[in-house]
Amino acid sequence: MREAQKMMNDPAFQAQMKNMTENPAFQQHMKKSQEMLKDPKKVKELESKMQERLKEGTELLEKAKKERGTEDEKPEASDDDKKEPAKEEGDNKGEEDEMPDIPILSLN
């Protein structure tokens, strides 16, 4: 929580948020969202869509767990076979970073 509070108190972050909230497209989208939530029919429609997507996601997760379960049943290799050499910083060999591109905000 301290890190989040520290980030929110950062002038650069505050400037970025101010720019975003003053953007006319952002303001228009927020107004549309608020108007849409006033309509009970639209809210029910959105809730049903969300429930469907949650159900689909849960089914995909269960399927992935089952597939992993079948992989876990394979004969295990000895401890010597499991060991991999440590990777050095520049040793990616075409692997992509798992981290998304996130703008860096200075917290100092």
Side-chain angles (χ1 to χ4, degrees):
M1 285 304 274
R2 279 190 221 153
E3 289 297 319
Q5 188 66 34
K6 191 174 179 182
M7 181 186 73
M8 289 188 286
N9 290 333
D10 180 36
F13 177 78
Q14 290 175 353
Q16 182 182 8
M17 292 303 295
K18 184 177 180 182
N19 287 339
M20 184 179 72
T21 56
E22 290 177 349
N23 183 334
F26 177 82
Q27 291 175 352
Q28 183 181 10
H29 181 72
M30 291 302 294
K31 284 180 184 176
K32 282 184 180 180
S33 297
Q34 289 173 354
E35 289 172 9
M36 185 174 48
L37 292 174
K38 290 178 183 176
D39 182 12
K41 291 180 184 178
K42 194 69 174 174
V43 171
K44 285 190 178 197
E45 180 183 330
L46 291 171
E47 285 177 353
S48 65
K49 284 182 182 179
M50 191 183 328
Q51 290 297 329
E52 288 174 24
R53 290 188 178 130
L54 282 171
K55 184 179 176 183
E56 290 171 9
T58 303
E59 289 172 357
L60 288 173
L61 286 172
E62 292 297 322
K63 183 179 177 183
K65 283 181 185 178
K66 288 179 183 177
E67 288 175 1
R68 276 197 213 137
T70 58
E71 289 176 8
D72 290 342
E73 294 172 7
K74 293 179 182 176
E76 291 189 27
S78 67
D79 289 339
D80 293 336
D81 293 340
K82 291 181 185 177
K83 294 180 183 174
E84 293 182 19
K87 290 185 179 181
E88 298 196 15
E89 262 185 52
D91 193 25
N92 285 347
K93 295 181 183 177
E95 293 179 15
E96 291 188 28
D97 291 338
E98 292 181 21
M99 294 294 295
D101 293 327
I102 299 173
I104 299 173
L105 294 175
S106 174
L107 297 178
N108 296 333

